Amino acid sequence: MLTRRQFGSLIALTSLSVSLPQFLAAAPAPQAITFAIESEPTTLNPHLNGQAKARVVLRNLYDSLLARDEKGGYLPWLAQSYEASADGLTFDFHLRPGVNFHNGEALDAAALVVNFEHLRDPAYAANLAAGPASHLVKAEAIAPLHLRLTLAKPYAPFLGFAAGVDILAPSAYRSEQLKSGGPEVAGSGPFLIDTIAKGQEIRLRRNPDYAWAPANAEHQGPAYLEAVTFRILPESAVRVGALQSGQVDAIEGISGNDVALFRDDEGFSYISAFNTGTPYTLFLNSQSGPTAEQAVRKALRAAIDIPAVLQSIYRGERQRAWGISSPIEADLYDPAIENAWAFDPAEANRLLDEAGWTERDAAGLRAKNGTPLVIRIVQAQATVRDQRDVLLLALQAQARQNAGIQLELDYVDAGSYAERRKLGDYGSIPNSRTPADDGIDIEYHYLPLDEGGSVNYARVADPQVKAWLTQAAATSDLAARHALYAKVQDFVLREQGYALPIYVPEDQIAARADLTGLRFRPYFQQPDSLHGVRFDSEVAG
């Protein structure tokens, strides 16, 4: 039986009056692909880009010191080996010789010192400087291929952070392209930037000198493909149509309605993987507006039938979330949180009545002392993906119908979003964040805003939460860390209702069947680089 793609090829051959054997003998294997992506990277500088979806592009441009295996263990990459001192204060990395950036600069210990010194600079990377990089007191080039990083005090997530930093050429920090990213912000990855057409596409070409793939790469040496074009197609239906018609070779970000089109068709391949990190969550502002009241926060979560909403939008292709981290992160996630609350409209209305939100307007919306019960949900337009705009509309309808709570949806540009975040001018910010980075992600969300909580959207400032997180970061005992993160999770979600997890984010990739080697990174489970991707003539396309 012919696949859709084979059928299309047969029609084309017939119209050209060319025999199939002649065509196969004459057609060379393509060496370039077009990959349609959902979100345009806001910047191509990996240190400044907070979009998880941008990794599908950035992973091809930049390398890191160490790779991770499936269980989170460390493997050689730019560093051939490393040692950690017994007191947890010093990390020595021994670099691979002969590595160069795309612009010809040598990747040595001096180049790495430049990178880590900039990561400590709040004027360059504020979130990193206030977060994991704040623990670094010194970066030294002990020898041309020997880097030493010294901490002020033990910080368990630091090795994961240092090992995973994308390394930039030193000259990048003097470039006018530093904030936006671009060819001058050179990395050492298997591909380099060729051209950028804003809002349309990003073209990469193969790094012919690449000979330093991570130890768990599918092969060593340069990438198989000569070129990759990432075409920006925000609409899911457009991406799907482009792959089905052969206009592109691969797509990512497949809606629940469209999964079966590729998973059940032998003319295509389909893979998916849950993300690590924070689930897609409604973070509720605990310091101002109605959500400053615990009763309102708990009423909102009781008013929404999350499983029903997810089923209606994603057709069973997304998993409900419960925790402060992804359920695939055994070191961080405590499943005891599951079913800790339930969809219960009666309970939602009881909580609001007791809190004094008893007035109703003609539409049934609640108010207290003449103030309507309105929760303003603020979302940056650039981060809307995976049908989350539709999802928010469904949550809005449930809150209104079941408890008389008005969710006001406000999509804003990046500048307005940053300003409103800074001022706390919102009732809720919905977001997810990938990867977890060995607990750093939890710190970002729940440490005080001025002490490393750079994405503390709920504006949690509880001393006990800070103490638990500080204790967890100070010990390398995995069981002790897990127990402390479990306390944080139970307190901020079940007891206080600072945040309402909705679903576990995941990545999906569909491609023509003869395009092989697409995969997700071990451990972090984000799309890996296209270093091992190639066309396989033995596979039906």
Side-chain angles (χ1 to χ4, degrees):
M1 181 177 181
L2 292 175
T3 65
R4 185 178 310 178
R5 180 174 299 282
Q6 289 169 329
F7 179 77
S9 299
L10 182 60
I11 294 298
L13 287 171
T14 301
S15 64
L16 292 171
S17 300
V18 178
S19 70
L20 184 60
Q22 286 176 314
F23 173 78
L24 292 177
Q31 298 299 317
I33 67 168
T34 299
F35 196 136
I37 58 176
E38 182 174 14
S39 303
E40 180 175 21
T42 54
T43 168
L44 290 172
N45 181 330
H47 299 163
L48 307 182
N49 190 304
Q51 298 167 280
K53 300 293 277 186
R55 301 304 303 175
V56 68
V57 178
L58 300 177
R59 183 70 173 173
N60 296 285
L61 303 173
Y62 300 96
D63 293 332
S64 302
L65 284 171
L66 299 169
R68 308 292 288 267
D69 64 21
E70 290 79 0
K71 296 182 179 180
Y74 295 94
L75 299 170
W77 195 354
L78 294 178
Q80 294 177 316
S81 63
Y82 78 96
E83 298 109 30
S85 63
D87 60 9
L89 297 179
T90 303
F91 295 86
D92 287 279
F93 295 91
H94 303 280
L95 307 179
R96 183 195 296 248
V99 179
N100 293 311
F101 293 102
H102 298 149
N103 60 4
E105 291 181 78
L107 197 157
D108 55 15
L112 286 158
V113 169
V114 172
N115 275 265
F116 281 98
E117 289 294 347
H118 277 85
L119 294 175
R120 297 174 59 204
D121 181 1
Y124 168 61
N127 290 352
L128 294 173
S134 67
H135 300 272
L136 178 66
V137 295
K138 185 185 295 183
E140 301 173 89
I142 303 300
L145 297 177
H146 182 182
L147 171 72
R148 175 169 293 166
L149 302 176
T150 304
L151 309 187
K153 57 184 179 181
Y155 180 62
F158 186 79
L159 178 58
F161 161 68
V165 167
D166 293 298
I167 307 302
L168 277 55
S171 62
Y173 296 98
R174 303 187 297 273
S175 170
E176 293 184 354
Q177 296 178 354
L178 183 60
K179 287 190 175 180
S180 64
E184 294 180 12
V185 185
S188 60
F191 293 90
L192 57 153
I193 296 174
D194 189 353
T195 60
I196 302 171
K198 187 71 176 173
Q200 299 179 42
E201 62 183 30
I202 302 166
R203 292 190 176 186
L204 310 184
R205 67 177 188 274
R206 180 168 57 193
N207 178 1
D209 302 321
Y210 195 70
W212 43 85
N216 57 352
E218 183 269 349
H219 77 288
Q220 296 297 311
Y224 295 124
L225 296 172
E226 293 178 350
V228 178
T229 297
F230 287 100
R231 186 164 298 163
I232 300 156
L233 299 177
E235 295 297 327
S236 175
V238 176
R239 292 193 302 279
V240 167
L243 179 58
Q244 289 182 310
S245 65
Q247 297 178 66
V248 302
D249 304 292
I251 64 174
E252 59 86 31
I254 294 110
S255 73
N257 285 333
D258 295 329
V259 168
L261 295 176
F262 305 110
R263 188 171 55 196
D264 301 336
D265 188 330
E266 63 180 5
F268 301 96
S269 64
Y270 175 82
I271 56 175
S272 65
F274 288 128
N275 295 154
T276 59
T278 307
Y280 184 67
T281 299
L282 288 184
F283 294 94
L284 303 171
N285 189 337
S286 64
Q287 294 189 1
S288 68
T291 50
E293 297 182 36
Q294 183 189 53
V296 172
R297 299 193 298 266
K298 288 189 171 183
L300 178 63
R301 79 182 184 193
I304 297 176
D305 186 353
I306 294 176
V309 169
L310 296 179
Q311 179 62 35
S312 67
I313 296 172
Y314 298 110
R315 301 292 188 264
E317 297 293 339
R318 299 292 184 272
Q319 177 175 311
R320 178 178 184 174
W322 287 96
I324 57 175
S325 59
S326 171
I328 64 173
E329 296 168 289
D331 292 343
L332 305 175
Y333 180 74
D334 180 7
I337 194 69
E338 295 174 8
N339 300 305
W341 58 87
F343 170 55
D344 188 344
E347 173 67 2
N349 284 287
R350 183 190 69 78
L351 287 166
L352 294 174
D353 288 342
E354 289 184 357
W357 295 93
T358 54
E359 301 164 21
R360 297 268 194 170
D361 66 10
L365 297 175
R366 288 178 178 268
K368 180 165 66 175
N369 301 324
T371 301
L373 180 44
V374 176
I375 300 174
R376 292 169 299 150
I377 297 180
V378 176
Q379 174 110 47
Q381 187 65 48
T383 64
V384 177
R385 61 180 177 86
D386 198 21
Q387 298 179 281
R388 290 175 178 179
D389 50 346
V390 181
L391 173 61
L392 289 176
L393 286 172
L395 300 182
Q396 181 187 55
Q398 290 248 330
R400 181 187 182 101
Q401 178 179 339
N402 296 327
I405 301 172
Q406 175 70 11
L407 301 183
E408 189 175 278
L409 308 182
D410 196 356
Y411 297 96
V412 298
D413 59 44
S416 299
Y417 176 74
E419 184 67 13
R420 292 182 69 167
R421 267 186 58 189
K422 180 181 177 181
L423 298 174
D425 183 17
Y426 58 85
S428 173
I429 287 181
N431 211 345
S432 59
R433 189 183 180 283
T434 298
D437 286 336
D438 302 297
I440 293 174
D441 182 62
I442 297 174
E443 296 181 0
Y444 280 149
H445 280 102
Y446 295 107
L447 280 177
L449 283 164
D450 57 352
E451 298 181 57
S454 57
V455 291
N456 184 350
Y457 304 123
R459 304 176 84 81
V460 177
D462 190 286
Q464 183 61 74
V465 173
K466 176 186 172 184
W468 286 328
L469 291 175
T470 303
Q471 293 168 32
T475 179
S476 57
D477 184 325
L478 293 179
R481 295 186 71 201
H482 184 275
L484 289 161
Y485 290 130
K487 289 182 178 179
V488 173
Q489 178 175 265
D490 185 72
F491 181 77
V492 303
L493 297 183
R494 185 192 61 79
E495 185 172 330
Q496 293 295 327
Y498 288 139
L500 178 58
I502 305 297
Y503 76 93
V504 184
E506 62 176 60
D507 279 292
Q508 315 88 20
I509 297 175
R512 46 187 285 182
D514 59 348
L515 188 65
T516 64
L518 291 162
R519 68 174 198 171
F520 296 105
R521 294 166 58 187
Y523 191 57
F524 288 130
Q525 299 198 173
Q526 291 179 296
D528 208 343
S529 80
L530 302 176
H531 172 253
V533 172
R534 59 181 169 179
F535 288 100
D536 187 343
S537 59
E538 299 298 318
V539 179

